[in-house]
Amino acid sequence: MTKAFFAARYGKGDADYLNCPMNQEEYRHFHQALVTGERVKPRDFEKEIHFEGCMPVEEMADRGVDTLRYGPLKPVGLDHPITGEAYYAVVQLRKETATGNMYNLVGFQTKLTYAEQQRVFRLIPGLEQVEFFRLGSMHRNTYINAPMYLTSDFRVRQQPNLWLAGQISGVEGYIESIASGLVAAWSVLSAVHDQSFTPPPPSTAIGALCQHIVTPSKNFQPMNINFGLFETLPRHRKLDRKNLYGKRAQEEFPAWLAKQPLR
């Protein structure tokens, strides 16, 4: 803790993050270790296609020496809370337990071998003597070409008594997977009761995900919810955009819900 400090970016909210700062020399040394570290090799049947929202830290480092400084190691808003010192890069750790005896390296998905993870991550200032409870590994994300096979309520086109939900359906993230399961369950319940079902409108978050899985694409990819998926707005000021999206969704979702026979 003579090197690390607790702080939130720009001092906003509680100081829940443990920050490990680096000067330029420390960062360059760490970056070099990342790009040259031994990585787990893919199997013959595996294609290395990384999801941009969950990129291995060493793959980001491969893209350029400063890529991490504009990503998970960006130092902005993380000056030392007492000395005011500014840094070249900052690694952040988040509590994994309420007692604070275990922390997670933020943005450090990795394919480095276990031995290399222990060597390379101990180069982070403050973590030289760290004890690793759990090391990182990449998981395979299997999903279908949803626009070809699914309807907007997550029903399989060629097998109307089969529904798919979660990441396999082409959504990304815990909340998004839950949302897809909710829509699929609603559709199943409607089918059981011989009721028609239409998903929420694409002006809402859930409806935007439903629209995403049926929108044709040459390279369909799983997607987190984002404003780019929402139904477009009439002309507006850019500063008002998010509020307008939210206000419209708050108006249209209850209106859609009120029309559902099963709720």
Side-chain angles (χ1 to χ4, degrees), residues 223-241:
M223 186 71 71
N224 294 100
I225 188 61
N226 63 81
F227 286 118
L229 296 180
F230 281 58
E231 189 174 62
T232 55
L233 290 162
R235 287 182 62 87
H236 61 278
R237 291 197 317 153
K238 186 176 181 179
L239 290 175
D240 297 332
R241 182 172 301 166

Side-chain angles (χ1 to χ4, degrees), residues 202-257:
S203 56
T204 66
I206 296 178
L209 284 173
C210 295
Q211 185 65 35
H212 165 66
I213 67 156
V214 296
T215 301
S217 172
K218 290 183 179 179
N219 182 28
F220 180 77
Q221 294 271 332
M223 186 71 71
N224 294 100
I225 188 61
N226 63 81
F227 286 118
L229 296 180
F230 281 58
E231 189 174 62
T232 55
L233 290 162
R235 287 182 62 87
H236 61 278
R237 291 197 317 153
K238 186 176 181 179
L239 290 175
D240 297 332
R241 182 172 301 166
K242 292 181 180 179
N243 286 334
L244 290 172
Y245 274 129
K247 182 179 179 181
R248 183 179 63 178
Q250 288 175 327
E251 292 172 351
E252 296 193 6
F253 189 86
W256 169 84
L257 186 62

